[in-house]
Amino acid sequence: MPNIKRLIIKRFGGTANFLIFVLFVFVSYLSVKNYFNESSQSEEIISSQINDGIKSLDKIKKVTEKQPIPDKIENKPKFVPNHGKPDPECEIEEKCTAQSVSYKLLSGQGMDKYPTICLNGKLLLSKNLPENKIGRGINLIVLDQNTLEVESIEAYDTYTDDSSFYRMITKNVKDGNLIMIASFDEMANALRETSIKAMESYGSQLFGNIKFRDGFVMIGQRGVTKGKAIEYIEAKGKKDFAIAAKITGCANFPLGTLSPVKFMEKNVIDQDQILVANYLKNCGLREDCQADEFAVHVYTGKNDKDEPKICVDGRYVIARGINDAGRGINIVVVGNGKEVLKTAHFDTYIEDSTNLEIFLEGLNDNVVIIAVSFDDASTKLGNLARNLFFDLGSGLIQNLRHRDAWIFVGRKGINGFSPIEEISYATADGSFPPVLDKKFCVPQTLKGMRIRPDPLPNQNDRRRDFCSRYDGYGEFCQNENVDKPLNPAPLINKSLENHPVFKTPIFIISSMSHTSLRMTLETIIMQPGVQRSQVFVCIDEKLDELWSLVDLFGFRSCKIESSFNYTEIYRKALVQAFETDLAENNENVIVIEEDLILAPDFLYFFTQLYDTFTKDSNLAAISTWNPNGYTQLDGSSSFVYRTNEFPGLAYMLKKSVYEAYIKDSFYECCSKRAWYDWSLIDKKTKESVLMDVLVPDVSRSFRRPYDISSEDYSFLNNLINRKRKTNLIPFPELVELSSLASRNSYEDFLKKTLKSALEFPNHESCFKQGNISLPQTSNQYYKIIYSQENESDLKKLKELCSCFHLFFDSETAPKGLYQKNLLRFYSHKNSYILVGSKSKLLV
């Protein structure tokens, strides 16, 4: 004991000081234990300190030694898990351990339920937070890995473009930092392979599986291996939108072993790693360049079996097998001292140009860039990349197309256009162009020219520009079509020059499909006599790509506020057509729905019926689509019928009918697609109104195959997806037009025809055997009077529709009826009338 007392006095100056030290250690233990909420790991650390203090009683000299801090603790995150009361939106069922962090992520659902993101009990993303910027696509939060403090919150509209998102995750997020993602509305449409691949560096393995309007949520960390992210996809299936994707739980950070991440490693080679294929004095130039110049040789290759070459100041740094040279665009960056700073290769035939764009954006001022194409460089060369080359002095890059050969020398910061640029154009059949093989001296400070070289006269620069910015347009953007002008077809029949049909507004109600809209616009602009100023395309206000497509064709646009479904878009488009001053003189409007391809005589068909239509108050519309117009019937393009059904798709509608029966009653009459039978309602009596519609025997519009949900598969498959006949005969003349002049004249014609028509032979075989044989005659009218118990009994008619290959669905009534029980059609050179025995048209 005396020895211990002497040691205490020697080390602490007295017993009192020693007791203060022990008390200090004990109080520290209690404070830290409370701060870490009884963290097991914290207890081990504190207990270790106390044990060391107690051991000092036995060997006090050890107390004075500095206790080393283990490497593990130095690398631990500095954030403190919040296990107190979370924000109300952030409550979860899971109970998190001492060092884990709670999380809750919900994607948006539809267009009115917004995403939510919580971490560590704190609400980070919500519509209720005024500083949040929530938008369609990917809503991204970036957090510091050590403090969990938010570094940025952004929304990226990856329905239209993912370039900004890709730049964010590759350039602006630091290694080790966390990201949290929640989708809203639609995020997958414009996601490119580069973005999907980049997300693997954040641990994602599901990013490439996201489909149109699926819900998606994710927690990732830059530098973890693929599969370490916390992520979930909620599939849309057959619904308009997926339900909200949701993940909750407790996370430990880091999510896995962290490694440094470098993007574009395979594309760019830095100065110290550049290989030289061979040396050639002055790159083959006969005379030396001046002191402030350097020699260059560029070679584009004769074909895809050849090789590109770039020689700079006597060294070939782009050649076969050297510095990743190959298909696409090969680049050399030269510094002010003539030194080669970088080489780069971007295969813009199979990979989008996002990495190229980032590379060009990152160039230092005044560096000289030498570019050579090889094989094909244009297929996926985007508009931004072309604009960046334009900023470097290119005046021809916008003209580059499939397999064209291109050489270019530019400078970052050049004023004007480079004097060193050339394109060798590929032939129309896709053969390789004449090779470009050029040697020249390049000034270290390349100066630009004021005048841009003129494009070739046969090029459609606007179409090329559009095709360079957007993918998925197939033959529209193929080499043989990209330079074709998009001009309206001239009116051949001069007698129709001032016809009112060509002054009638045409409203196209577009869906989200760019392919369908493109086909509709192509067949509109090919209508003889069409006037661009009369064509209005109604599009969701968020669909910028479709706006660009409409502008390319030169048509007018009408913005539609974003809506949950197509029916609502339809209603808003009709309001634009009939209730605004967008279209003048709109006593009649031509309406064209989504996914339609128009026959060559689409507008001409209206001109032949216009007088009858405008003079008869019983006529509501002229339809160009016949629900019974299947190829098996081999119908006639010369016949038109009156029906009491409104088939929709593509039609001319009277403003008076809209105002009387649709304007304030849309949800009562027309809330479903027209093929489910719109029912025009009298506002006063609240009863259905019988209106007539003119319908061709052979359709003048074709509805593309329909993506059918399970609940209405049979109906829509029979109605739309069966093979249909659409008129391809140029300007056929219609017959029996006088019979269509009025309801009375039409019914008189039917009565007279029924009286003189031939009885169809052996039609009972349809009811007995389920099939029927057509007579081998021509230009005859045949009638079948089927038995009815009352005027609305259509059982026998349905059987006849099946036998004659008309529209048939066991659960619904036949289509194309007049006066409830009469149906007309033309098949294999003869006309047929099926009429019920209780019909008022039978004399």
Side-chain angles (χ1 to χ4, degrees):
M1 286 293 292
N3 292 335
I4 294 174
K5 187 174 182 179
R6 282 196 296 272
L7 284 172
I8 290 173
I9 294 171
K10 182 178 179 180
R11 298 295 183 185
F12 294 95
T15 305
N17 290 342
F18 172 73
L19 292 175
I20 291 172
F21 167 77
V22 173
L23 181 61
F24 172 76
V25 171
F26 182 70
V27 170
S28 297
Y29 166 72
L30 292 178
S31 299
V32 173
K33 179 179 180 182
N34 181 63
Y35 183 79
F36 282 99
N37 197 21
E38 300 183 348
S39 163
S40 59
Q41 195 166 11
S42 300
E43 285 179 359
E44 291 174 7
I45 298 170
I46 303 301
S47 297
S48 173
Q49 293 177 346
I50 292 177
N51 289 337
D52 288 343
I54 294 172
K55 289 177 182 177
S56 67
L57 293 172
D58 301 310
K59 202 171 183 178
I60 294 181
K61 65 179 181 179
K62 292 185 178 178
V63 176
T64 61
E65 295 175 4
K66 184 178 179 181
Q67 192 144 353
I69 301 175
D71 290 340
K72 272 187 177 180
I73 297 177
E74 285 183 350
N75 292 332
K76 283 191 177 294
K78 299 175 183 177
F79 61 81
V80 179
N82 173 23
H83 297 302
K85 186 172 180 59
D87 290 342
E89 299 93 332
C90 301
E91 293 181 353
I92 63 174
E93 295 180 0
E94 294 86 349
K95 302 298 181 183
C96 297
T97 60
Q99 285 301 297
S100 61
V101 175
S102 66
Y103 62 84
K104 180 178 181 180
L105 293 85
L106 286 91
S107 70
Q109 182 174 334
M111 302 177 72
D112 53 356
K113 293 184 179 179
Y114 294 88
T116 300
I117 296 180
C118 299
L119 186 69
N120 207 17
K122 184 178 180 181
L123 183 64
L124 304 180
L125 182 77
S126 170
K127 188 65 175 177
N128 298 324
L129 296 176
E131 69 275 13
N132 280 178
K133 295 178 286 186
I134 296 176
R136 179 178 65 183
I138 294 175
N139 294 273
L140 173 71
I141 299 178
V142 180
L143 305 105
D144 182 271
Q145 64 171 323
N146 293 319
T147 63
L148 297 189
E149 291 296 319
V150 173
E151 293 196 347
S152 69
I153 301 177
E154 295 290 341
Y156 298 93
D157 188 359
T158 50
Y159 173 77
T160 58
D161 180 56
D162 73 341
S163 299
S164 298
F165 172 71
Y166 180 79
R167 282 172 174 74
M168 181 66 184
I169 60 176
T170 56
K171 291 181 63 177
N172 300 333
V173 180
K174 299 173 185 175
D175 282 350
N177 275 2
L178 299 162
I179 63 170
M180 304 181 78
I181 288 174
S183 67
F184 178 57
D185 189 352
E186 210 302 289
M187 66 165 280
N189 183 65
L191 285 179
R192 295 179 286 185
E193 188 62 33
T194 48
S195 294
I196 293 170
K197 189 68 177 175
M199 287 300 294
E200 292 180 4
S201 297
Y202 290 81
S204 176
Q205 63 181 355
L206 299 181
F207 214 71
N209 299 335
I210 306 169
K211 306 299 182 185
F212 179 75
R213 278 184 169 165
D214 286 349
F216 179 72
V217 285
M218 170 185 165
I219 303 174
Q221 189 166 16
R222 180 161 168 144
V224 298
T225 56
K226 180 180 178 181
K228 292 295 184 180
I230 304 169
E231 55 187 338
Y232 177 65
I233 297 174
E234 185 67 56
K236 178 180 81 73
K238 297 292 185 179
K239 301 182 289 292
D240 289 329
F241 292 89
I243 62 173
K246 178 180 179 181
I247 53 175
T248 64
C250 309
N252 292 289
F253 300 119
L255 295 174
T257 303
L258 298 176
S259 303
V261 179
K262 290 185 178 180
F263 293 98
M264 292 200 304
E265 281 186 325
K266 70 172 186 175
N267 300 100
V268 181
I269 300 175
D270 291 323
Q271 185 175 13
D272 57 347
Q273 297 176 318
I274 295 173
L275 301 177
V276 177
N278 58 290
Y279 296 85
L280 180 65
K281 184 180 179 181
N282 294 331
C283 294
L285 285 169
R286 293 183 179 181
E287 298 182 3
D288 291 344
C289 296
Q290 297 181 17
D292 60 349
E293 297 176 334
F294 56 90
V296 170
H297 173 215
V298 290
Y299 177 78
T300 58
K302 298 176 182 178
N303 52 46
D304 56 349
K305 302 297 189 294
D306 201 353
E307 61 177 324
K309 296 178 184 178
I310 300 179
C311 175
V312 177
D313 204 26
R315 296 168 295 171
Y316 280 90
V317 290
I318 292 294
R320 185 185 299 279
I322 299 297
N323 301 321
D324 193 36
R327 180 179 59 193
I329 295 179
N330 300 273
I331 294 175
V332 175
V333 180
V334 182
N336 294 327
K338 304 181 185 179
E339 71 280 13
V340 176
L341 302 177
K342 295 177 185 292
T343 66
H345 167 235
F346 302 91
D347 188 353
T348 48
Y349 173 73
I350 60 169
E351 297 175 358
D352 63 69
S353 55
T354 307
N355 285 333
L356 170 60
E357 294 157 6
I358 293 173
F359 173 77
L360 296 176
E361 289 172 337
L363 291 174
N364 294 326
D365 289 342
N366 294 317
V367 296
V368 172
I369 177 174
I370 305 167
V372 168
S373 70
F374 178 63
D375 191 352
D376 178 66
S378 70
T379 299
K380 293 199 174 180
L381 185 65
N383 187 59
L384 177 57
R386 293 175 190 260
N387 288 340
L388 290 169
F389 276 119
F390 176 84
D391 293 340
L392 294 167
S394 172
L396 300 177
I397 186 64
Q398 300 296 347
N399 300 335
L400 188 68
R401 59 183 178 181
H402 182 66
R403 278 190 170 165
D404 290 346
W406 175 65
I407 62 166
F408 167 67
V409 179
R411 179 172 66 85
K412 181 70 176 288
I414 193 171
N415 183 16
F417 299 99
S418 170
I420 308 174
E421 184 178 25
E422 190 171 341
I423 286 182
S424 178
Y425 291 102
T427 58
D429 63 0
S431 299
F432 288 94
V435 67
L436 294 177
D437 187 358
K438 304 291 181 179
K439 298 173 183 177
F440 39 77
C441 294
V442 177
Q444 287 177 265
T445 304
L446 186 68
K447 294 183 179 180
M449 303 183 299
R450 287 187 176 184
I451 301 175
R452 178 186 180 186
D454 291 330
L456 294 180
N458 65 334
Q459 290 190 175
N460 187 337
D461 284 346
R462 293 187 69 237
R463 187 163 175 174
R464 281 174 171 267
D465 175 64
F466 177 86
C467 292
S468 70
R469 284 186 286 145
Y470 301 111
D471 298 325
Y473 284 85
E475 62 182 18
F476 181 77
C477 287
Q478 285 179 357
N479 183 42
E480 60 270 22
N481 296 321
V482 73
D483 286 319
K484 291 180 180 179
L486 296 171
N487 296 326
L491 185 61
I492 300 172
N493 187 344
K494 298 302 181 181
S495 66
L496 296 174
E497 278 187 346
N498 297 314
H499 199 284
V501 164
F502 301 113
K503 299 177 182 178
T504 301
I506 301 172
F507 276 76
I508 300 170
I509 307 175
S510 175
S511 64
M512 301 177 73
S513 170
H514 64 271
T515 300
S516 295
L517 179 59
R518 186 262 298 175
M519 290 181 176
T520 302
L521 298 184
E522 281 189 292
T523 53
I524 275 284
I525 207 166
M526 290 190 294
Q527 298 295 318
V530 68
Q531 297 182 22
R532 279 181 166 142
S533 61
Q534 296 299 326
V535 180
F536 300 83
V537 186
C538 299
I539 303 173
D540 186 306
E541 61 186 355
K542 295 181 180 180
L543 304 181
D544 294 336
E545 179 178 341
L546 299 190
W547 289 109
S548 299
L549 180 62
V550 173
D551 181 63
L552 177 64
F553 278 86
F555 297 140
R556 300 172 67 179
S557 302
C558 62
K559 284 189 176 182
I560 298 294
E561 183 180 334
S562 293
S563 302
F564 181 74
N565 56 40
Y566 185 75
T567 301
E568 186 61 20
I569 294 173
Y570 206 120
R571 182 190 68 81
K572 293 175 181 177
L574 292 181
V575 170
Q576 294 267 18
F578 289 108
E579 300 182 39
T580 69
D581 57 1
L582 192 62
E584 299 176 0
N585 304 318
N586 58 341
E587 290 305 312
N588 306 297
V589 167
I590 296 172
V591 177
I592 300 173
E593 298 181 11
E594 62 175 346
D595 294 329
L596 292 186
I597 298 172
L598 308 179
D601 69 329
F602 176 79
L603 289 182
Y604 180 71
F605 176 74
F606 288 123
T607 65
Q608 295 185 82
L609 298 171
Y610 188 81
D611 287 343
T612 297
F613 174 65
T614 54
K615 292 175 181 177
D616 185 358
S617 60
N618 289 318
L619 283 170
I622 304 173
S623 175
T624 62
W625 188 74
N626 185 344
N628 291 307
Y630 301 107
T631 55
Q632 289 166 295
L633 277 75
D634 190 25
S636 170
S637 299
S638 297
F639 285 91
V640 178
Y641 313 128
R642 279 188 179 239
T643 75
N644 298 129
E645 296 175 3
F646 192 81
L649 295 187
Y651 55 92
M652 182 184 287
L653 181 68
K654 289 179 179 176
K655 183 176 182 179
S656 58
V657 173
Y658 171 81
E659 291 182 337
Y661 306 116
I662 298 177
K663 180 178 178 180
D664 298 320
S665 310
F666 183 84
Y667 294 110
E668 290 77 18
C669 78
C670 316
S671 60
K672 295 182 179 180
R673 298 299 293 266
W675 54 63
Y676 289 112
D677 297 333
W678 281 5
S679 178
L680 302 183
I681 306 295
D682 187 296
K683 296 176 185 177
K684 296 179 180 179
T685 64
K686 303 300 181 183
E687 295 180 354
S688 295
V689 177
L690 187 68
M691 298 292 291
D692 293 357
V693 175
L694 298 177
V695 176
D697 187 80
V698 173
S699 298
R700 266 56 174 193
S701 55
F702 172 77
R703 212 288 182 188
R704 299 179 70 217
Y706 193 74
D707 184 14
I708 302 169
S709 58
S710 58
E711 57 268 21
D712 53 10
Y713 176 84
S714 175
F715 172 77
L716 289 176
N717 191 54
N718 287 326
L719 182 63
I720 293 176
N721 290 358
R722 282 174 58 189
K723 288 186 178 181
R724 293 189 150 273
K725 184 175 181 179
T726 304
N727 179 57
L728 298 176
I729 300 172
F731 316 119
E733 292 299 322
L734 304 181
V735 298
E736 299 177 352
L737 286 177
S738 60
S739 69
L740 302 171
S742 68
R743 184 178 287 176
N744 287 337
S745 62
Y746 190 66
E747 294 185 3
D748 287 343
F749 169 81
L750 290 175
K751 291 175 182 178
K752 182 179 177 181
T753 303
L754 284 168
K755 203 170 185 179
S756 61
L758 300 174
E759 292 281 353
F760 188 90
N762 302 320
H763 74 272
E764 291 296 330
S765 64
C766 174
F767 306 130
K768 296 175 181 178
Q769 301 168 13
N771 57 58
I772 208 162
S773 297
L774 296 180
Q776 301 299 307
T777 58
S778 60
N779 301 321
Q780 296 292 332
Y781 266 97
Y782 288 91
K783 64 184 176 185
I784 296 178
I785 302 174
Y786 60 90
S787 62
Q788 288 183 294
E789 294 182 3
N790 54 61
E791 194 178 12
S792 301
D793 178 12
L794 301 176
K795 292 179 183 177
K796 293 295 183 181
L797 178 58
K798 290 177 69 172
E799 293 183 57
L800 289 170
C801 287
S802 177
C803 293
F804 277 104
H805 306 294
L806 302 167
F807 168 74
F808 170 78
D809 181 71
S810 59
E811 302 298 323
T812 56
K815 294 285 186 181
L817 301 184
Y818 183 74
Q819 296 291 9
K820 298 183 181 180
N821 53 24
L822 183 142
L823 194 155
R824 290 183 66 186
F825 63 95
Y826 184 97
S827 181
H828 297 280
K829 301 181 181 181
N830 290 305
S831 294
Y832 298 88
I833 303 178
L834 311 181
V835 61
S837 59
K838 302 296 183 181
S839 172
K840 298 175 182 178
L841 296 170
L842 289 175
V843 179

